[in-house]
Amino acid sequence: MGDDNGQIIEKDQKGNGEPRARWGNRIEFLLSCIAMSVGLGNVWRFPFTAYENGGGAFLLPYLFVLITIGKPMYFMELALGQFSSHGSVKVWSVVPAFKGVGYGQLTATSAVLSYYVALMALTVFYFFASFSSVLPWMVCDPSWADLTRCVDPTTNLSQLTSNDTMGSTEMYFQMNVLKELPNIDQGIGLPCWKLTLCFLFSWLIVFLTMVKGVHSSGKVAYFTAIFPYVVLITLLIRGLTLPGAYDGVVFYIKPRWNELLNARVWYAAITQSFYSLSIGFGPLVMYSSYNDFRDPVARDAAIISVADMLTSLLAGFVIFGILGNLAHELDTTVDQVIKGGGTSLAFVSYPQALANFPGVPQLFAVLFFLMLFTLGVGSATALTGCVITILREEFPSVSQLAATTIVSVGGFLVGLVYITPGGQFILNLVDFFGGGFIVFILATLEVVAIQWVYGIKNFCDDLEFMTGARPNCYLKFCWMFFIPLALMAIFIYSVATMKPLTYGKVEYPDSAMICGGVLILLTLLMLPVCFAREVYRANGMTLLERVRSTFQPAADWGPAENEHRREWLQATGRKDPLAGRESHRRPRPPLQPRRPSYRPGPEPAYRHSVAFAVPPPALERGQRRLAELTRRHSAPHRSLGGGYVNEAVTGSRTDVADERV
């Protein structure tokens, strides 16, 4: 049954389920996407990656990758979610044969989420430690420090009995916070109770953020997206006024042009783009699925991708300005104070630099770690929401509260492994196998399935109907050719240059590497298993007919609202499988009413222009375009990669039996 606006308000076939939520307004959506994309990777990963791969010269490949891969894929994923109102698994009703890609992305997302909240727990530990009258990592405390090796500002080096010295900041992180083991050959140990409480607190915040879905996470985004910029700008102003900051900034942006010919630099640019924009994981599809159908998705993709890039650059200036000051205080060079990327950079180099801030270093330490935690909440919320959305779409009777509880409790129990003395070994292992190059495979299959199997023409028709603007030739080229070829080339390069995985200088035992291989195997097995399942469920008298039908859109593909669905079918000349025998197996999801801020204007015309408002001179062209679309689809034909059967659009009601090409 539908209301006056054509919205679907019936329940599912079992009479269960809640209406699908919507964002309170577009600002909440934009801020949530920015909070997701602008995460920990921008603050500690991008600056170090840029420095390690050519300094200022790295910005050229990064910008090139952002324009040719990052932004087009970001746009595509946002468009898929908004057009279908489906999460990252259910959206594969567009090409059921590739549904395993959605489940593979679910595996990768769950792997990243499992350790992401553990990193947030470390920031909580340092946040509370920053309230001490003396920052604890700047003093060699006998309760945790090896006084024969520990060096702090008051240490008399002549009294040390060991040649293997270590700074108090690094020793505090390894021996007091992590209680790290030298290796995991004999196991990983038991969780530290202090970190367990911090970990529990982190998951509690994520739970409270997601307990009401986008209604609660959208409100939290006002803080998680804006507060980090306040801290970054504060640290930038303070950091650039410190002695030595200029040397750090120059060290960061000084180009090493010879690195542009290094394939490793381009590989780093693509991985950084995926890591920071969160493309290929699924949260983008999930977030946009709660949008209103006519939202300007192309403009949103441009705003968010540019904001992510500018934030990365800003973070680089902040971080290297601070590290330049630290090098000045220690009378050394900037490269000597960089302890490494990832956790060691965030919890060794930064705390040491903050402790040398004149005035009240505790204040800047509190702000810095609060910022890191806020960044973590923004990204963890998106990852958690992606898993929750998939769970609720697969099991509509599960409420938002129950789904959030299941995911949070499960994430907490699984994540306890990361806060053991050997937890950082496991984190590095899971990040490499679960959230690393496997995403390249899934992203490549995603682009190929949408642009080649479903068809670039069908996809562009859908975009034109939804936004009123048809993608230009540049986007089509990127989607069809450049992105698949570039991702496959990078994957081959990563496999060809792969080295044995180590944590620092410590090699992993064979059992750990086997576990990593099993994680990759489970992800890849999703593809054939889900394909076989879809073939089994498909209609058809023969196996070939069943296989062919899995490469064509399923019954519930298309706009969720009845009014949009009718117009879409008419404009593209497609038949509606929902009226056939498939309607009882795959109903459309119920939707909440349009958000209060939604003000539907004139329906967008079909045109090649990228503008979102139709000026009067373009109105006639838009009408001609609509007539051309109708004429183009007025006779049955086979489209690139399959799709619905096209029919002549007449004034009478046509037979809508479930026919396929």
Side-chain angles (χ1 to χ4, degrees), residues 228-278:
Y229 289 100
V230 175
V231 178
L232 281 175
I233 293 173
T234 302
L235 291 175
L236 177 66
I237 295 173
R238 182 63 182 128
L240 293 182
T241 60
L242 297 174
Y246 175 78
D247 296 333
V249 171
V250 171
F251 184 83
Y252 163 54
I253 64 174
K254 183 180 180 180
R256 298 189 293 277
W257 300 112
N258 59 306
E259 292 292 335
L260 289 177
L261 301 178
N262 190 342
R264 178 177 60 86
V265 174
W266 292 89
Y267 172 76
I270 293 182
T271 54
Q272 176 61 34
S273 179
F274 271 68
Y275 196 91
S276 61
L277 288 174
S278 300

Side-chain angles (χ1 to χ4, degrees), residues 113-284:
L113 175 63
S114 67
Y115 69 72
Y116 210 89
V117 183
L119 293 176
M120 292 167 56
L122 296 179
T123 67
V124 173
F125 188 98
Y126 271 83
F127 172 78
F128 286 110
S130 299
F131 285 95
S132 303
S133 57
V134 177
L135 293 176
W137 53 82
M138 294 304 295
V139 179
C140 293
D141 191 329
S143 64
W144 51 263
D146 181 358
L147 298 182
T148 64
R149 302 169 51 216
C150 186
V151 178
D152 65 22
T154 64
T155 302
N156 187 343
L157 298 179
S158 62
Q159 296 180 354
L160 296 179
T161 59
S162 173
N163 293 326
D164 184 21
T165 59
M166 181 182 295
S168 59
T169 307
E170 186 175 2
M171 187 171 289
Y172 176 83
F173 179 59
Q174 291 187 2
M175 294 190 173
N176 187 52
V177 180
L178 300 178
K179 304 186 188 311
E180 194 168 72
L181 296 172
N183 57 66
I184 56 172
D185 294 342
Q186 305 301 320
I188 60 175
L190 297 176
C192 168
W193 70 269
K194 291 182 180 179
L195 285 180
T196 300
L197 292 179
C198 296
F199 190 49
L200 178 62
F201 174 80
S202 301
W203 264 114
L204 180 61
I205 296 298
V206 174
F207 171 82
L208 294 176
T209 302
M210 290 303 305
V211 70
K212 292 186 178 180
V214 294
H215 293 300
S216 55
S217 65
K219 303 299 184 292
V220 174
Y222 284 99
F223 179 76
T224 57
I226 296 175
F227 177 75
Y229 289 100
V230 175
V231 178
L232 281 175
I233 293 173
T234 302
L235 291 175
L236 177 66
I237 295 173
R238 182 63 182 128
L240 293 182
T241 60
L242 297 174
Y246 175 78
D247 296 333
V249 171
V250 171
F251 184 83
Y252 163 54
I253 64 174
K254 183 180 180 180
R256 298 189 293 277
W257 300 112
N258 59 306
E259 292 292 335
L260 289 177
L261 301 178
N262 190 342
R264 178 177 60 86
V265 174
W266 292 89
Y267 172 76
I270 293 182
T271 54
Q272 176 61 34
S273 179
F274 271 68
Y275 196 91
S276 61
L277 288 174
S278 300
I279 51 181
F281 285 92
L284 290 176

Side-chain angles (χ1 to χ4, degrees), residues 334-409:
V334 178
D335 59 325
Q336 295 300 313
V337 299
I338 299 176
K339 302 297 183 181
T343 53
S344 62
L345 182 62
F347 300 111
V348 176
S349 296
Y350 296 166
Q352 185 175 359
L354 292 170
N356 285 278
F357 267 37
V360 187
Q362 291 86 348
L363 173 62
F364 292 100
V366 167
L367 289 176
F368 179 78
F369 289 111
L370 179 59
M371 178 192 69
L372 286 186
F373 181 77
T374 304
L375 291 171
V377 170
S379 298
T381 295
L383 297 171
T384 306
C386 182
V387 178
I388 292 173
T389 298
I390 294 172
L391 178 62
R392 295 199 64 201
E393 288 185 340
E394 293 296 319
F395 305 98
S397 60
V398 178
S399 66
Q400 178 70 26
L401 174 61
T404 306
T405 303
I406 292 171
V407 173
S408 299
V409 173

